[in-house]
Amino acid sequence: MNEQLVSMITQLVIEKMGNQTPDEPSHETAVPIEDHKEILIKLQAKETSEANIVASPSAIERSNEPLIKLYHSESHNHEQLYYSASNNEPTDTMAPITAFKFEEDEVSESVQAAKKHTPARIGVGRAGTRPKTKTWLKFRLDHAAAVDAVYGEVTEGLLQKLDVFQVTTRVTDKEEYITRPDLGRRLSDESKTLIQSKCAKNPKVQIILSNGLSASAIEENVQDVYLALQQSLNNLNIEIGTTFYIDKGRVALMDEIGELLQAEVIVYLIGERPGLVSAESMSAYICYQPRIGTVEADRMVVSNIHKGGIPPLEAGAYLGTVVQKILHYKASGVGLVAKEG
């Protein structure tokens, strides 16, 4: 240790203590500084002969000031000492500094179990008052997928593969389709003529397809559902009409089609409104003799058809059994439930 440096520091301390006011207690007695522990001097010798000096506040301050925190830079875990700024002796409490966390990274066992049974955003944590970066980016991705599902279009290649023709409603564009649901419940005049000329009259089952509010749902699911439904109905010896696709259609459009074709049962495969869990969910609405003025209580629906819900192939096979039951009881919706009961 540099003895000259120690001598200089000691002299400065003595001079400082000699400048005290008469009202303040004197510290010029020959009592060692270490015994009173009121002044802390820390010298750290380095290879470059540089020294770091940390001194506590002067003992002349007697107000109730907050504790002064001194950190040992040579410690890798940054242990912390607390010294009082008053005349009282410093506390001997030493506590390691730990990184502050708003929320533990590990979630409880109950939350882990719940996450296995739902795709909902639970136990994702937060950073302060905001979601974590990974959670926020996933939210933005799901939101973008939902927007794409609504504004997207079903490809011509899929319609050709399914061998269906296309008709339109009275809607002119996507914005009008979203803001005017009533226009999506009526066919255009050209579409009425095309349906009457191409479709078989009085079919037992009429299958219709529509993008609805999710073109992604049709792209991902309709082929498997449609083919499985066809096979199921053929195995049950149930006649199927001429299938076609409706662009920008609503659920209640099945009533007008029922009037045009006088179908006994209509199965309407339509893309559902996307959410932030899945933008590819499709539903199948079924109704016995739908006509203009049919109430919603007479419709049935098998929803949540997608890879994370009801598997498309399984949904198609199940729809065949539902149609069989409807034809047997000649009712659907609450009427079917009443007759079954």
Side-chain angles (χ1 to χ4, degrees), residues 170-243:
R170 296 183 183 180
V171 174
T172 57
D173 54 40
K174 283 289 185 180
E175 295 299 330
E176 187 175 52
Y177 174 67
I178 294 171
T179 57
R180 292 290 305 275
D182 56 313
L183 297 179
R185 300 186 184 110
R186 290 290 181 269
L187 292 166
S188 63
D189 294 335
E190 297 82 0
S191 296
K192 290 180 182 179
T193 303
L194 186 61
I195 290 173
Q196 288 176 328
S197 63
K198 285 194 171 187
C199 292
K201 300 291 183 180
N202 305 311
K204 278 284 185 182
V205 179
Q206 175 65 52
I207 302 174
I208 53 179
L209 320 173
S210 178
N211 53 357
L213 285 168
S214 177
S216 301
I218 299 300
E219 288 283 338
E220 292 294 326
N221 307 298
V222 75
Q223 184 173 354
D224 289 340
V225 175
Y226 176 58
L227 295 179
L229 175 58
Q230 271 188 323
Q231 183 178 1
S232 178
L233 293 176
N234 289 332
N235 292 338
L236 295 170
N237 296 319
I238 299 175
E239 176 197 0
I240 304 174
T242 308
T243 305

Side-chain angles (χ1 to χ4, degrees), residues 15 32 35-36 85 126 134 151 158 165 170 173 186 197 199 204 209 229 231 276 284 290 313 322 327 341:
E15 290 178 357
D35 293 344
H36 284 284
R126 58 188 175 90
K134 181 179 179 180
Y151 285 90
L158 177 61
F165 66 93
R170 296 183 183 180
D173 54 40
R186 290 290 181 269
S197 63
C199 292
K204 278 284 185 182
L209 320 173
L229 175 58
Q231 183 178 1
L276 293 175
L313 290 173
V322 174
L327 290 172

Side-chain angles (χ1 to χ4, degrees), residues 286-287 294-300 332-337:
I286 316 155
C287 188
T294 297
V295 296
E296 296 301 317
D298 289 335
R299 306 188 208 279
M300 302 175 67
S332 60
V334 296
L336 177 62
V337 175

